[in-house]
């Protein structure tokens, strides 16, 4: 029996159904791009959501440098890494609930909660260091505001951003997700620059308050523009305290999906180990000098030359190229996991050979530039990978499957940077490169395995369809009407 798919609703041939006006796709079934303005408004909203979740996480290296050199000099590297790791962990862990709420079309509840928590988290962070003088920072309150509170706000926007655009752009979902993910790279450029400028000009308390107003404004734009796609069937929540409401057993039974989740977890544990330490690496290796904010007065003493801060900015900036390029290639190949595997393998080579053995400043800049491109690709593809792996009959579960993936990834996003910090303390800065390289090699193998199993499933399904097609003519010959 043939099936007609139109506007995201499945209609079996021979059945009648009242026509449904699709907001995402025009009346023409061959339309590639949506013609409804709400789809493109959702794309802008998704950009600002990523701008304020992973954009802020990518900018944490700038915060960490100030804490280490000025506000929290008595805190260990492990403690400082824990703040950024907590952001990543809490951004990801509750995604299992956020994804299911999105399937139930509870978008605006998540959006408003995210707006409130993110704004309050960074606004209250400005009160954690008195006048912003040396060693006036309170580590516990820094972790509570920018780690715990802001991290919980970020999770409301993270799954929301990719889930929404994938549903609005069913035929261009990989490109749409890639465009949305560039918000993370843009935030990773703009927020560190704004942080350095504002704190050096006005001091930490006032500078961070100004930043919190930027967070409030951009998240409010995302909240207003992020309308859900009503063309996709809504799945009611059911019983809130029932496990099956939040966890889809079919996802757990899918071996390609399970391998994919483990691989993505390793990506996050490895990549952010480099991102959190790249400015310190540049200083230790002598590739640049560190800016120090003296006394919170806005003075910026230091030797002339290339600033270590720019290595993080370069990495975040070039990640935009990787996010867009990987989306285009994934669309062309119709397989984002192949792109994922290739970029992880190249990232492993860079981490093994450039991080420990970069001979000079140009080589270090080249490393950050290329690793940023590869990192942008690796970090932008996971949601597209889930959309590729999920069976057609479970497309209405895409939010749930994506949320389950991010919750599984969260544990390693927390412990990965902490393991790297412990290795650095015991074996030196080069250990971080070896750690990241090892995780990327293992990730490449897992992605390849997942691709093989997915292809095996497709061949099995194609074989069953061919057998079913061979039986149809014999039924017709015997007088049956099909």
């Amino acid at each position: 029996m043939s099936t007609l798919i139109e506007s995201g609703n499945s209609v079996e041939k021979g059945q009648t159904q009242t026509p449904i006006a699709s907001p995402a796709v025009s009346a023409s079934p061959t339309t590639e791009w949506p013609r409804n303005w709400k789809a493109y408004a959702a794309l802008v909203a998704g950009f600002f959501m990523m701008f304020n979740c992973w954009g802020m996480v990518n900018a944490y290296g700038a915060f960490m440098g100030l804490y280490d050199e000025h506000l929290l000099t008595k805190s260990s590297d492990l403690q400082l890494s824990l703040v950024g790791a907590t952001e990543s962990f809490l951004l990801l862990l509750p995604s299992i609930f956020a994804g299911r709420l999105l399937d139930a079309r509870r978008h605006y509840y998540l959006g408003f909660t995210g707006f409130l928590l993110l704004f309050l988290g960074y606004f209250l962070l400005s009160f954690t260091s008195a006048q912003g003088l040396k060693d006036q920072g309170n580590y516990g309150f820094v972790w509570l505001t920018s780690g715990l509170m802001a991290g919980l706000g970020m999770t409301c926007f993270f799954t929301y951003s990719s889930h929404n655009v994938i549903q609005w752009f069913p035929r261009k979902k990989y490109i749409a997700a890639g465009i949305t993910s560039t918000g993370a790279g843009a935030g990773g450029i703009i927020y560190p620059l704004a942080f350095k400028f504002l704190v050096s000009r006005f001091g930490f308390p006032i500078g961070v308050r100004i930043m919190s107003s930027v967070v409030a404004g951009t998240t409010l734009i995302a909240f207003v523009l992020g309308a859900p796609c009503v063309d996709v069937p809504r799945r009611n929540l059911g019983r809130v305290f029932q496990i099956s409401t939040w966890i889809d057993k079919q996802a757990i039974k899918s071996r390609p999906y399970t391998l994919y989740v483990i691989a993505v977890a390793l990506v996050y544990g490895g990549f952010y180990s480099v991102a959190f330490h790249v400015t310190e690496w540049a200083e230790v290796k002598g590739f640049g000098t560190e800016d120090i904010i003296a006394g919170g007065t806005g003075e910026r003493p230091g030797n002339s030359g290339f600033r270590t801060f720019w290595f993080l900015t370069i990495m975040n900036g070039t990640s935009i190229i990787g996010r867009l390029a990987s989306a285009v290639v994934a669309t062309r190949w119709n397989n984002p996991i192949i792109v994922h595997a290739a970029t992880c393998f190249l990232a492993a080579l860079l981490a093994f050979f450039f991080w420990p053995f970069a001979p000079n400043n140009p080589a270090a800049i080249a490393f950050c530039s290329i690793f940023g491109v590869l990192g942008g690709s690796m970090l932008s593809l996971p949601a597209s990978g889930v959309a590729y792996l999920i069976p057609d009959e479970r497309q209405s579960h895409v939010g749930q499957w994506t949320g389950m993936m991010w919750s599984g990834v969260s544990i390693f996003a927390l412990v990965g940077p902490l393991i790297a910090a412990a290795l650095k303390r015991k074996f030196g800065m080069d250990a971080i490169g070896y750690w990241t390289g090892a995780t990327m090699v293992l990730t490449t193998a897992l992605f390849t395995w997942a691709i093989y199993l997915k292809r095996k499933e497709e061949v099995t399904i194609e074989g069953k369809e061919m057998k079913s097609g061979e039986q149809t003519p014999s039924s017709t010959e015997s007088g049956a009407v099909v």
Side-chain angles (χ1 to χ4, degrees):
M1 182 179 291
S2 64
T3 303
L4 303 177
I5 305 296
E6 186 169 345
S7 304
N9 297 290
S10 178
V11 183
E12 292 189 352
K13 189 175 181 179
Q15 292 182 342
T16 60
Q17 177 170 311
T18 303
I20 298 175
S22 169
V25 183
S26 71
S28 172
T30 59
T31 300
E32 289 291 322
W33 292 93
R35 295 182 180 177
N36 192 305
W37 68 270
K38 290 183 179 179
Y40 299 94
L43 200 63
V44 174
F47 175 90
F48 281 118
M49 290 175 190
M50 292 295 288
F51 184 84
N52 285 295
C53 53
W54 283 115
M56 270 299 191
V57 174
N58 290 339
Y60 179 68
F63 285 81
M64 186 174 173
L66 177 64
Y67 296 153
D68 184 43
E69 298 286 344
H70 186 64
L71 291 179
L72 298 168
T73 60
K74 297 178 182 178
S75 297
S76 68
D77 185 67
L78 191 65
Q79 288 177 309
L80 297 179
S81 295
L82 181 61
V83 177
T86 300
E87 282 185 346
S88 303
F89 175 69
L90 292 178
L91 190 158
L92 296 169
L93 180 64
S95 294
I96 192 170
F97 305 109
R100 184 63 185 88
L101 289 170
L102 290 167
D103 285 341
R105 212 172 288 160
R106 300 292 198 275
H107 295 65
Y108 291 118
Y109 295 102
L110 283 172
F112 181 74
T113 303
F115 159 74
L116 197 62
L117 288 174
L118 262 175
F119 167 66
L120 287 177
Y122 283 102
F123 180 72
L124 294 176
L125 175 64
S126 67
F127 295 96
T128 61
S129 63
Q131 287 79 38
L133 302 179
K134 190 174 181 64
D135 285 327
Q136 281 194 339
N138 185 306
Y139 175 79
F141 285 117
V142 168
W143 178 87
L144 184 66
T145 53
S146 66
L148 179 64
M149 187 176 293
L152 289 173
M154 291 173 185
T155 195
C156 297
F157 286 126
F158 176 46
T159 306
Y160 187 168
S161 63
S162 59
H163 176 276
N164 215 26
V165 297
I166 284 173
Q167 292 192 333
W168 274 111
F169 296 83
R171 293 172 183 159
K172 295 290 184 180
K173 56 190 173 186
Y174 301 143
I175 291 180
I179 292 172
T180 296
S181 72
T182 60
I189 298 172
I190 293 172
Y191 277 132
L193 289 173
F195 178 76
K196 295 287 282 187
F197 171 76
L198 292 172
V199 173
S200 64
R201 181 78 177 269
F202 303 107
F204 183 81
I206 296 177
V208 173
R209 279 170 212 154
I210 296 173
M211 281 190 66
S212 70
S213 66
V214 176
V215 170
T218 50
T219 52
L220 188 60
I221 292 172
F223 172 69
V224 172
L225 296 181
C229 179
V230 296
D231 192 45
V232 177
R234 173 180 175 177
R235 292 179 59 219
N236 292 327
L237 272 178
R239 297 181 179 179
V240 176
F241 296 104
Q242 191 170 342
I243 294 178
S244 60
T245 299
W246 310 104
I247 298 177
D248 188 351
K249 293 181 180 179
Q250 293 301 317
I252 298 174
K253 292 178 181 179
S254 172
R255 290 199 296 166
Y257 173 82
T258 302
L259 289 171
Y260 189 72
V261 171
I262 297 171
V264 173
L266 290 170
V267 167
Y268 275 77
F271 175 82
Y272 279 103
S273 298
V274 167
F276 288 169
H277 292 89
V278 67
T279 56
E280 184 184 0
W281 168 76
E283 184 181 14
V284 169
K285 294 286 186 177
F287 301 139
T289 56
E290 179 74 21
D291 283 336
I292 300 175
I293 301 173
T297 62
E299 300 174 13
R300 300 175 62 193
N303 299 326
S304 60
F306 200 85
R307 304 294 181 180
T308 58
F309 163 78
W310 287 105
F311 288 95
L312 177 64
T313 305
I314 289 170
M315 187 177 292
N316 287 327
T318 57
S319 73
I320 296 176
I321 301 173
R323 292 170 191 275
L324 291 174
S326 63
V328 173
V329 175
T331 301
R332 187 175 182 84
W333 292 353
N334 196 30
N335 189 337
I337 307 181
I338 292 179
V339 184
H340 227 160
T343 53
C344 286
F345 179 72
L346 294 174
L349 295 180
L350 279 176
F352 275 133
F353 296 108
F354 268 78
W355 183 273
F357 304 117
N360 49 39
N361 183 279
I365 294 174
F367 166 79
C368 291
S369 301
I370 300 172
F371 198 79
V373 172
L374 297 175
S377 174
M378 291 185 292
L379 300 177
S380 67
L381 288 171
S384 299
V386 173
Y388 170 76
L389 290 172
I390 191 170
D392 291 339
E393 66 272 11
R394 303 196 78 78
Q395 284 297 319
S396 62
H397 296 244
V398 67
Q400 189 174 23
W401 281 46
T402 306
M404 290 172 61
M405 173 190 67
W406 291 128
S407 293
V409 169
S410 65
I411 302 298
F412 209 71
L414 174 66
V415 303
L418 300 183
I419 292 173
L423 290 173
K424 188 201 78 171
R425 184 172 58 184
K426 186 171 180 63
F427 301 106
M429 183 63 71
D430 290 350
I432 291 178
Y434 296 130
W435 160 254
T436 297
T439 60
M440 293 300 145
V441 168
L442 183 54
T443 294
T444 303
L446 291 171
F447 280 140
T448 305
W449 193 2
I451 294 169
Y452 167 75
L453 292 177
K454 175 63 176 177
R455 184 54 188 158
K456 190 176 179 181
E457 288 182 356
E458 291 174 346
V459 170
T460 302
I461 293 172
E462 290 171 0
K464 290 180 180 179
E465 289 177 350
M466 289 180 63
K467 288 182 180 180
S468 176
E470 290 173 356
Q471 294 174 359
T472 302
S474 62
S475 300
T476 306
E477 290 171 4
S478 64
V481 179
V482 179

